[in-house]
Amino acid sequence: MVTNLPNTFKDHHIVIELQDVSISFDDETILKKVNLQVKSGEIFIIIGPSGGGKTVLLKLMAGVFKPTEGHVYCEGEEWINLKTEKRRELAKHIGVQFQKNALFDSLTAEENIAFPLKEHTKLDDEEIQTRVKDCLLAVNLTNVGEKLPHDLSGGMRQRLSIARAIALNPEIIFYDDPTAGLDPINTDLMGDLILNLKQQNNTTVIIATHSMDLAYKLSSEHGRIAFVADQEVIITGTKKETQESKDPRVQQFINGRLDGPLTF
Ligand SMILES: Nc1ncnc2c1ncn2[C@@H]1O[C@H](COP(=O)(O)OP(=O)(O)OP(=O)(O)O)[C@@H](O)[C@H]1O
Ligand SMILES: [Mg+2]
């Protein structure tokens, strides 16, 4: 674990908070008046139709996007108020696996994982190598350390991007569509991996996904499901609560029906 945690990480129960958050791009409103809280050790699962705003919500929470209106807090600090130095410090405690996995194409698998360690820590080469190996092992990727991302399968690249996201032992991990392009078995394995990584460090997990199987699996313990559509975020709760939701949009989405209030 990272030892030099800011005090806020020990004292506050709420890790992420959005207050009346709206965001627009070129006058198009994507999310309107969103209020939510994510608590320490929780798994917060964002579901909803393509283009509905899952990635935008995730990036707001991670401080990548600024809200057009409202406030986004991470560990009690409002992202927008943080000076570069503090922002960097907070970012060290956050791991992000981006939707397009954003690996460095010209760096090997090992070099990709070593990158944040070189950037943010004072570890020497040997310590970095040890940490890189641990991360590859954690995601079940061994013997590919020397390979370039384009020589790996889609699933392996997803796992590599997770290995890079966990390199700094973050307290909070964001996953954006980690099972994109994976078959059902590998989707299930990815769910196990995310849960294992979460349990090892009691990480707070925020994840956007299309896969209801993954959403249900992750929501069984410490998990809440949030449905994003029509500029709104509807927190449905556990698997059971989601399945019992009276909102016809939620019902349409989770049952994969073409007919209903959502248009595709
Ligand atoms: N940087 C940006 N600039 C302008 N518009 C954006 C930007 N990022 C997202 N959008 C718009 O916001 C809307 C929501 O996009 P978002 O990527 O959050 O959807 P999503 O729910 O993640 O979809 P998917 O399931 O396909 O990943 C889309 O209309 C998209 O075009
Ligand atoms: Mg997305």
Side-chain angles (χ1 to χ4, degrees):
M1 287 299 288
V2 182
T3 48
N4 58 339
L5 289 181
N7 279 333
T8 48
F9 274 92
K10 293 168 194 151
D11 301 337
H12 281 76
H13 198 57
I14 296 165
V15 176
I16 306 274
E17 177 158 18
L18 269 66
Q19 289 178 355
D20 285 333
V21 167
S22 303
I23 184 164
S24 316
F25 295 108
D26 307 325
D27 292 337
E28 190 198 352
T29 303
I30 311 297
L31 295 169
K32 206 152 83 186
K33 295 258 174 214
V34 176
N35 286 284
L36 61 84
Q37 294 178 337
V38 179
K39 300 202 173 106
S40 165
E42 234 194 331
I43 305 185
F44 190 81
I45 305 138
I46 305 167
I47 60 165
S50 246
K54 298 182 297 297
T55 297
V56 169
L57 178 61
L58 205 99
K59 287 186 172 173
L60 278 164
M61 290 168 131
V64 179
F65 284 160
K66 289 188 185 122
T68 314
E69 279 173 48
H71 307 277
V72 183
Y73 300 90
C74 178
E75 293 295 344
E77 307 271 6
E78 188 166 1
W79 275 120
I80 206 163
N81 289 337
L82 290 177
K83 300 252 176 346
T84 315
E85 188 67 13
K86 275 229 82 189
R87 216 186 145 80
R88 252 179 86 84
E89 185 54 36
L90 191 57
K92 278 193 225 170
H93 301 279
I94 297 174
V96 186
Q97 184 249 325
F98 291 103
Q99 184 158 21
K100 303 244 158 32
N101 69 49
L103 292 162
F104 301 113
D105 292 333
S106 58
L107 299 183
T108 65
E110 283 178 357
E111 287 164 349
N112 262 283
I113 304 171
F115 191 86
L117 295 165
K118 285 183 182 155
E119 188 88 340
H120 288 295
T121 72
K122 295 194 170 67
L123 297 178
D124 64 32
D125 285 351
E126 202 176 317
E127 289 165 325
I128 286 179
Q129 275 317 305
T130 306
R131 181 73 196 135
V132 166
K133 295 253 163 14
D134 286 349
C135 291
L136 284 169
L137 194 63
V139 299
N140 262 325
L141 268 188
T142 40
N143 304 324
V144 302
E146 311 273 294
K147 292 197 173 170
L148 292 171
H150 70 243
D151 294 330
L152 301 174
S153 76
M156 287 167 129
R157 278 199 296 272
Q158 297 279 46
R159 281 184 281 150
L160 175 58
S161 65
I162 292 174
R164 191 178 61 180
I166 61 169
L168 293 167
N169 257 328
E171 279 77 33
I172 311 168
I173 304 191
F174 291 90
Y175 295 97
D176 196 356
D177 212 3
T179 60
L182 299 190
D183 61 60
I185 293 167
N186 276 301
T187 294
D188 198 48
L189 287 173
M190 182 64 81
D192 288 334
L193 172 63
I194 290 168
L195 286 174
N196 283 339
L197 292 173
K198 188 226 160 339
Q199 273 146 12
Q200 278 166 30
N201 295 332
N202 195 29
T203 327
T204 306
V205 174
I206 296 149
I207 174 164
T209 182
H210 289 112
S211 162
M212 284 316 300
D213 288 339
L214 181 69
Y216 288 152
K217 181 175 181 127
L218 298 179
S219 71
S220 60
E221 265 183 88
H222 314 291
R224 273 191 302 158
I225 295 176
F227 179 77
V228 181
D230 294 342
Q231 308 168 347
E232 273 183 77
V233 179
I234 304 160
I235 298 175
T236 54
T238 59
K239 171 180 179 178
K240 188 164 174 286
E241 286 163 341
T242 304
Q243 287 170 332
E244 289 170 354
S245 168
K246 299 231 165 10
D247 193 304
R249 296 167 297 180
V250 175
Q251 285 303 328
Q252 185 190 350
F253 184 79
I254 66 173
N255 294 304
R257 286 196 297 260
L258 204 52
D259 284 343
L262 299 170
T263 45
F264 289 88

